Amino acid sequence: MALAAETKAIVGQYDYTDEDVNKGVKEFLRQMGEGLEKDGTSLSQIPTYVTAVPNGTEKGLYLAVDLGGTNFRVCSIQLNGDSTFHLTFSKVPIPKEMMVAKTSQELFAFLAKQIDVFLQTHHMADYDRHVRRRNTVSSPTGFKDEPVFRLGFTFSFPVKQVGINKGTLIRWTKGFDIPDAVGKDVCALLQVEIDKLHLPVKVAALVNDTVGTLMARSYTSPGKTGAVLGAIFGTGTNGAYLEKLANIKKPLEGEYDNSTGDMVINTEWGSFDNQLNVLPNTPWDIQVDKDSVNPGIQMFEKRVSGMFLGEIVRRTLLDMMGNEKMAFFKDENSSFNDWKSTTSIAEHSGIFKQWGLDSSIMSVAAADTTPELSTLRQELEGQLHVYSPSLEDAQAFKAVAGAVGRRAARLSAVAIGAIVLQTGQLSQAGDEPIDIGVDGSLVEHYPYFRDMIYEALRVIDGIGEEGAKRIRIGIAKDGSGVGAALIALVAAGMEKGQPVGEYVFPKPCLAKPPDRTNM
Ligand code: ADP
Ligand code: MG
């Protein structure tokens, strides 16, 4: 009984009330406004120079790569021009040591190598043709007008974008830390390594995954309106939305098409409220932040995204294990355990190591609603090497993980709700849905994550039950791939000297669901 009662007290610290949600929304709106006015605020509100969303008539074969945090994805996308596309896909985990490599060259050489492997596996014919052509000309750079793949580079870290395929890294997030890359043009870093391997690939566009998700959702979502927000809940969290040009008060350098009156803004909301005006801050949040590579930064992300949720849970559990009164993952003797064994934990259990508890086990805990919690208990054995956990242990684990997950979903609703209010669409007449594209393992796999978001949206002043009904949150799976291809297409048009206007997408139209292979 002691365990259940003590757990309750701990879980209570993760409560995020309806009142908290509303306070959060107000502060989020305030910080959004601040970011639209000047640079250097906690919500960066980065202009992307993308001024509209696609309509489904775009055509061509493009490459896209996505450096997101946990995995590196390479794909080729055939845009069919009739709102459908064909996607070929590969994914490799990024080795932890690459995230903190001594030089950025090491990381980018690794990425270029994966593109090489992908081309050889899936586009051998194009690859061969390229090599043959190279071998028939004396110039080491080949023919001038040599056909090359245009590549959209989804790079999901804060970047100061200065051109469609040019942008300098502002700071690393999500556990990456390679100091020499900061301030450099990440497209150039990748192009140099691609050229070393003589690949027929040109880095044509730099894309934030949130912008890609917004574009892809607009291309594929049903109905005649485009999406207003693309949001990621994966290793990290971030969102990009369509803002009115008139609201962007800080200077916009460079050229852009102003005929739509809109521009996509990359919020970089992972850094919302770094100053902790309204964000919850438990002792375990403090520990996670203190031992991270960027203390004091990405404070919203550290309470919401996949990379951090498991670590918050782990820190909480460790404290519970250290509390003698609780007898957590501990039996006095086997009669105290319904599996008639005593619980033991391997020394090498992830419980004892930073980042040792992957957020995915939280999904297992949330999904297991059986009386014995046997799936979760097997997972505790398999993943965490906690042997013979008792039912009470599993219940305590489930309660803590559930509380951390629920708080994350309600915080996500703060960001989504604030942006919906900011767009002003709810006050416009009609019952057109307000479409939001989301991507990332957390929102995709954590049971009821979206339901918990909706639950919180309904209590937000200015949204309410009726407003929440109009908000349509849909998965834009691997949106970053298709979105990057769409932006690479815009870029290819600009290269040929064609007027940007022809490629800046007009209002979106009806689209069919994607066709996919290799998933
Ligand atoms: P990326 O951010 O690299 O694009 P993902 O969207 O797949 O990749 O997110 C990976 C993150 O999601 C990791 O931090 C991982 O711990 C977490 N994650 C993966 N599967 C699940 C799951 N089933 N439930 C909750 N979190 C998950
Ligand atoms: Mg991602």
Side-chain angles (χ1 to χ4, degrees), residues 79-238:
L79 296 168
N80 297 327
D82 61 355
S83 307
T84 67
F85 62 84
H86 190 85
L87 189 130
T88 311
F89 175 97
S90 84
K91 169 166 140 176
V92 282
I94 300 161
K96 279 265 184 224
E97 62 274 14
M98 280 293 168
M99 300 180 177
V100 291
K102 285 215 175 58
T103 63
S104 54
Q105 190 265 332
E106 259 175 82
L107 173 69
F108 286 88
F110 170 80
L111 305 184
K113 181 75 206 139
Q114 306 313 314
I115 298 171
D116 191 5
V117 171
F118 180 85
L119 286 178
Q120 296 205 40
T121 312
H122 298 288
H123 294 278
M124 202 56 200
D126 300 295
Y127 190 86
D128 272 352
R129 201 176 318 123
H130 170 76
V131 171
R132 269 202 311 279
R133 282 174 73 102
R134 281 188 53 81
N135 291 339
T136 58
V137 288
S138 49
S139 151
T141 49
F143 286 110
K144 255 216 162 91
D145 60 346
E146 198 162 20
V148 291
F149 283 105
R150 295 302 189 281
L151 178 144
F153 181 15
T154 299
F155 183 77
S156 310
F157 300 91
V159 156
K160 182 167 171 57
Q161 191 140 6
V162 288
I164 194 111
N165 67 345
K166 208 172 158 80
T168 56
L169 177 63
I170 297 171
R171 61 174 179 274
W172 287 110
T173 56
K174 299 179 274 195
F176 279 68
D177 188 20
I178 311 171
D180 84 273
V182 175
K184 291 210 181 115
D185 173 13
V186 293
C187 289
L189 290 174
L190 181 60
Q191 189 71 59
V192 164
E193 298 306 319
I194 286 173
D195 292 347
K196 280 188 196 161
L197 298 177
H198 305 294
L199 305 179
V201 173
K202 175 174 169 148
V203 182
L206 180 61
V207 184
N208 186 276
D209 56 354
T210 54
V211 183
T213 299
L214 176 62
M215 302 289 271
R217 176 72 187 172
S218 295
Y219 187 92
T220 56
S221 80
K224 55 182 187 299
T225 41
V228 297
L229 167 65
I232 303 289
F233 301 96
T235 310
T237 182
N238 188 15

Side-chain angles (χ1 to χ4, degrees), residues 26 193 234 315 327 360 363-364 399 404 406 426 458 462 476 500 516:
K26 283 204 186 73
E193 298 306 319
R315 299 280 183 158
S360 57
S363 287
V364 176
V404 172
R406 183 176 162 77
L426 277 176
R458 286 195 284 270
V500 180
R516 26 182 74 246

Side-chain angles (χ1 to χ4, degrees), residues 4 28 33 46 50 57-58 70 113 162 176 222 227 244-245 260 263 267 277 340 364 369 386 392 410 452 477 495:
F28 200 98
I46 304 170
V50 176
T57 60
E58 298 74 19
T70 304
K113 181 75 206 139
V162 288
F176 279 68
K244 287 174 203 64
L245 271 174
T260 62
M263 184 179 282
T267 63
N277 288 342
K340 298 293 170 246
V364 176
T369 52
V386 176
E392 289 75 14
R410 292 173 72 80
M452 291 189 290
K477 200 168 159 7
E495 269 172 45

Side-chain angles (χ1 to χ4, degrees), residues 250-262:
K250 58 185 172 188
L252 284 171
E253 302 146 24
E255 277 176 38
Y256 56 92
D257 171 68
N258 62 8
S259 65
T260 62
D262 296 322

Side-chain angles (χ1 to χ4, degrees), residues 138-437:
S138 49
S139 151
T141 49
F143 286 110
K144 255 216 162 91
D145 60 346
E146 198 162 20
V148 291
F149 283 105
R150 295 302 189 281
L151 178 144
F153 181 15
T154 299
F155 183 77
S156 310
F157 300 91
V159 156
K160 182 167 171 57
Q161 191 140 6
V162 288
I164 194 111
N165 67 345
K166 208 172 158 80
T168 56
L169 177 63
I170 297 171
R171 61 174 179 274
W172 287 110
T173 56
K174 299 179 274 195
F176 279 68
D177 188 20
I178 311 171
D180 84 273
V182 175
K184 291 210 181 115
D185 173 13
V186 293
C187 289
L189 290 174
L190 181 60
Q191 189 71 59
V192 164
E193 298 306 319
I194 286 173
D195 292 347
K196 280 188 196 161
L197 298 177
H198 305 294
L199 305 179
V201 173
K202 175 174 169 148
V203 182
L206 180 61
V207 184
N208 186 276
D209 56 354
T210 54
V211 183
T213 299
L214 176 62
M215 302 289 271
R217 176 72 187 172
S218 295
Y219 187 92
T220 56
S221 80
K224 55 182 187 299
T225 41
V228 297
L229 167 65
I232 303 289
F233 301 96
T235 310
T237 182
N238 188 15
Y241 73 105
L242 206 57
E243 180 59 276
K244 287 174 203 64
L245 271 174
N247 289 341
I248 308 174
K249 301 275 169 32
K250 58 185 172 188
L252 284 171
E253 302 146 24
E255 277 176 38
Y256 56 92
D257 171 68
N258 62 8
S259 65
T260 62
D262 296 322
M263 184 179 282
V264 176
I265 292 284
N266 166 17
T267 63
E268 288 299 336
W269 75 35
S271 263
F272 165 58
D273 200 26
N274 281 346
Q275 54 273 62
L276 301 182
N277 288 342
V278 295
L279 284 179
N281 202 25
T282 67
W284 306 290
D285 293 307
I286 294 171
Q287 290 176 18
V288 169
D289 177 54
K290 193 167 126 289
D291 292 340
S292 69
V293 294
N294 52 357
I297 311 177
Q298 299 292 106
M299 297 304 250
F300 183 71
E301 181 161 273
K302 283 173 183 160
R303 285 148 181 79
V304 171
S305 76
M307 172 164 177
F308 298 98
L309 295 188
E311 182 62 9
I312 300 175
V313 169
R314 188 187 75 83
R315 299 280 183 158
T316 314
L317 299 181
L318 264 187
D319 273 2
M320 290 165 66
M321 287 159 68
N323 180 341
E324 285 303 320
K325 271 197 300 194
M326 293 184 80
F328 178 53
F329 285 157
K330 210 175 313 171
D331 300 301
E332 229 164 87
N333 61 57
S334 59
S335 74
F336 284 78
N337 185 315
D338 65 326
W339 276 358
K340 298 293 170 246
S341 175
T342 56
T343 313
S344 64
I345 309 180
E347 247 171 67
H348 67 275
S349 165
I351 287 261
F352 301 115
K353 285 188 227 77
Q354 192 184 21
W355 313 122
L357 191 151
D358 192 291
S359 305
S360 57
I361 197 171
M362 297 168 67
S363 287
V364 176
D368 190 346
T369 52
T370 62
E372 279 90 38
L373 298 179
S374 35
T375 312
L376 172 59
R377 288 159 82 179
Q378 273 165 28
E379 205 66 18
L380 287 169
E381 292 204 325
Q383 252 198 56
L384 281 181
H385 307 284
V386 176
Y387 303 112
S388 305
S390 68
L391 175 61
E392 289 75 14
D393 291 335
Q395 284 166 336
F397 182 96
K398 185 177 159 80
V400 170
V404 172
R406 183 176 162 77
R407 191 185 68 167
R410 292 173 72 80
L411 284 165
S412 306
V414 165
I416 293 172
I419 287 176
V420 167
L421 290 173
Q422 172 75 9
T423 64
Q425 296 227 349
L426 277 176
S427 49
Q428 282 164 22
D431 50 8
E432 281 287 320
I434 297 166
D435 206 75
I436 293 171

